[in-house]
Amino acid sequence: MVVYHNPIVLQRADPWVLKHEGTYYFTASDPRYSLIAIRKSRRINDLQAAQEHVIWRKHQSGPMSKYIWAPELHRIDGAWYLYFAAAESDFEASGLPTHRMYVLENRDEDPMSDHWEEKGQIHTPLDSFSLDATSAIIKGRQYLVWAQKDPAIDGNSNLYIARMSNPW
């Protein structure tokens, strides 16, 4: 019987684990909300002790300069993609955070390399608070699922799904 440690890694919110070719990759919101790091290990229970490798840091100003949240690592068509949310300021006039969704790409075999390229913001039909992007290939087509607040709808954010023309 295998016993799994929970949490897998301490002091990390929004954890994401991907197993690819026998290796586990872990990423999550860093407590400083200022960077994105990845850990890797052959065993899921070893992720807590695995060395963390920073692959991206927030900008000094502008849209990707605050509150880096909820990174997710995906392997799509031979490349690595990392979806995350970032903000420009604390809050919009509506009181909502200014988070939008962004994508990084790495075409190396190993996502721990330093060859990450900013692909930019994921634009949706609404320009409003959005986060928690995840991607899936369904019947050969790529989709994005995310949470977003529609100011015209009372209540919290909604979940949306859309077909993607490319991973970014």
Side-chain angles (χ1 to χ4, degrees):
M1 179 172 96
V2 178
V3 175
Y4 296 101
H5 302 293
N6 192 7
I8 294 169
V9 176
L10 300 173
Q11 300 297 315
R12 294 296 183 271
D14 310 308
W16 180 259
V17 176
L18 173 71
K19 186 177 183 184
H20 176 71
E21 296 182 353
T23 298
Y24 291 94
Y25 295 93
F26 174 90
T27 189
S29 295
D30 183 84
R32 296 159 289 192
Y33 306 116
S34 63
L35 56 84
I36 297 172
I38 300 173
R39 298 173 188 221
K40 75 176 181 179
S41 174
R42 298 299 276 176
R43 293 179 353 109
I44 196 167
N45 283 337
D46 293 338
L47 286 169
Q48 173 66 35
Q51 184 173 354
E52 195 168 67
H53 181 71
V54 175
I55 60 143
W56 184 86
R57 294 183 186 279
K58 71 179 182 123
H59 291 189
Q60 290 300 311
S61 62
M64 292 188 281
S65 63
K66 288 185 175 283
Y67 309 121
I68 310 307
W69 286 357
E72 281 197 12
L73 181 67
H74 294 265
R75 183 77 169 163
I76 303 166
D77 293 332
W80 295 99
Y81 292 91
L82 205 144
Y83 298 94
F84 66 101
E88 181 170 4
S89 60
D90 289 338
F91 297 98
E92 299 173 358
S94 68
L96 290 173
T98 62
H99 283 79
R100 302 297 186 269
M101 301 171 296
Y102 298 90
V103 182
L104 304 174
E105 178 188 63
N106 185 330
R107 296 208 158 266
D108 289 351
E109 284 297 314
D110 185 356
M112 304 292 275
S113 78
D114 293 325
H115 298 124
W116 287 92
E117 176 186 346
E118 292 178 6
K119 298 306 275 188
Q121 182 179 343
I122 298 173
H123 294 281
T124 64
L126 295 171
D127 184 26
S128 63
F129 173 63
S130 56
L131 72 166
D132 293 341
T134 192
S135 184
I137 307 292
I138 302 169
K139 295 185 179 179
R141 297 194 173 160
Q142 186 176 4
Y143 291 87
L144 187 78
V145 178
W146 72 98
Q148 187 164 17
K149 175 62 177 138
D150 182 340
I153 299 174
D154 288 338
N156 295 318
S157 59
N158 303 303
L159 286 179
Y160 295 92
I161 185 168
R163 204 165 126 194
M164 300 177 78
S165 59
N166 60 52
W168 60 92

